[in-house]
Amino acid sequence: EAGVVQSPRYKIIEKKQPVAFWCNPISGHNTLYWYLQNLGQGPELLIRYENEEAVDDSQLPKDRFSAERLKGVDSTLKIQPAELGDSAVYLCASSRQGETGELFFGEGSRLTVL
Amino acid sequence: AQSVTQPDIHITVSEGASLELRCNYSYGATPYLFWYVQSPGQGLQLLLKYFSGDTLVQGIKGFEAEFKRSQSSFNLRKPSVHWSDAAEYFCAVGASSNYQLIWGAGTKLIIKP
């Protein structure tokens, strides 16, 4: 089966510019996660979807970050405007509903904000 | 407070030698425990998991881990490492009642030829 697909792999932008990341989860996986990973740290959850519903977005900085999963399949994470501190790797993961912790990750999107 | 501690930021091991990566956790509920591996340029991959039952669990790529409740530990082991095992390893803890995983900061494994 195809894995979790993310794009772009790398993005360099200037501060105050917008950026968007796209994720296509594994077919049949109802649960989709966006994580942020800083260098030398473990992933930090930004948002979790069950189908098209955002069921946990408590860690998402809503003043500049937004996400959507309109048809319950692929998802987009947007930052507008980007700040220097947003430089990180943005990870997308998916799982089957009910399978706590058994996540399948994409390769990540590395963002550099100049 | 809930937390996961991986005391070693880096570990260097000779190829063919045995490996043990440490993981200690603090968690209020009965924990579900996980080890993930992140190879350079690749996504995180689940190595093994512990939910209940036998405290010694086997995973992929020849890895195993042992849950020790009295020590709040879930250490990862491999009897003989290969150069391809060079990667970053993350321990994580969660509960059956929610999807929020608590992640350690990772241990980077370096293999000496």
Side-chain angles (χ1 to χ4, degrees):
Chain A
E1 67 184 354
V4 176
V5 179
Q6 290 187 247
S7 69
R9 288 292 311 279
Y10 304 93
K11 188 74 175 179
I12 300 173
I13 61 172
E14 294 189 346
K15 62 181 180 183
K16 301 185 181 179
Q17 295 299 306
V19 63
F21 304 110
W22 176 80
C23 172
N24 192 40
I26 292 173
S27 177
H29 282 195
N30 297 328
T31 308
L32 183 146
Y33 310 75
W34 283 103
Y35 281 91
L36 177 153
Q37 186 178 25
N38 287 303
L39 190 64
Q41 297 183 26
E44 300 170 32
L45 181 68
L46 290 172
I47 190 168
R48 173 170 67 90
Y49 282 93
E50 290 293 342
N51 299 304
E52 64 275 9
E53 182 182 0
V55 295
D56 183 356
D57 63 356
S58 58
Q59 304 302 313
L60 189 72
K62 298 181 184 63
D63 56 336
R64 297 183 301 105
F65 286 65
S66 64
E68 60 183 16
R69 192 184 185 198
L70 293 176
K71 297 182 179 178
V73 181
D74 57 344
S75 175
T76 302
L77 177 70
K78 298 178 182 178
I79 308 174
Q80 184 171 9
E83 297 179 352
L84 295 176
D86 296 332
S87 295
V89 178
Y90 292 84
L91 302 171
C92 179
S94 68
S95 68
R96 296 182 187 88
Q97 198 163 18
E99 295 193 350
T100 302
E102 298 186 60
L103 307 181
F104 293 78
F105 283 84
E107 293 176 326
S109 295
R110 181 178 295 277
L111 173 65
T112 301
V113 182
L114 303 176
Chain B
Q2 299 174 345
S3 65
V4 175
T5 301
Q6 295 182 243
D8 304 302
I9 297 175
H10 301 100
I11 279 190
T12 301
V13 176
S14 297
E15 190 170 15
S18 63
L19 170 71
E20 182 169 30
L21 301 182
R22 296 182 290 165
C23 173
N24 294 96
Y25 67 89
S26 173
Y27 201 73
T30 300
Y32 285 12
L33 294 156
F34 308 85
W35 275 100
Y36 280 82
V37 60
Q38 188 173 35
S39 298
Q42 297 187 24
L44 286 146
Q45 181 182 22
L46 180 65
L47 278 177
L48 49 76
K49 60 185 185 286
Y50 171 78
F51 288 174
S52 64
D54 192 346
T55 57
L56 183 64
V57 294
Q58 303 296 320
I60 62 171
K61 305 185 181 189
F63 285 91
E64 66 179 25
E66 185 172 13
F67 171 55
K68 293 186 177 179
R69 185 184 299 276
S70 62
Q71 298 178 20
S72 297
S73 70
F74 188 57
N75 293 348
L76 182 71
R77 300 194 294 247
K78 186 169 185 177
S80 175
V81 298
H82 185 262
W83 65 267
S84 60
D85 294 324
E88 192 148 22
Y89 292 79
F90 292 91
C91 180
V93 63
S96 61
S97 57
N98 69 72
Y99 289 76
Q100 177 69 283
L101 290 182
I102 310 297
W103 294 80
T107 297
K108 186 173 183 178
L109 175 63
I110 300 164
I111 306 295
K112 286 193 303 186

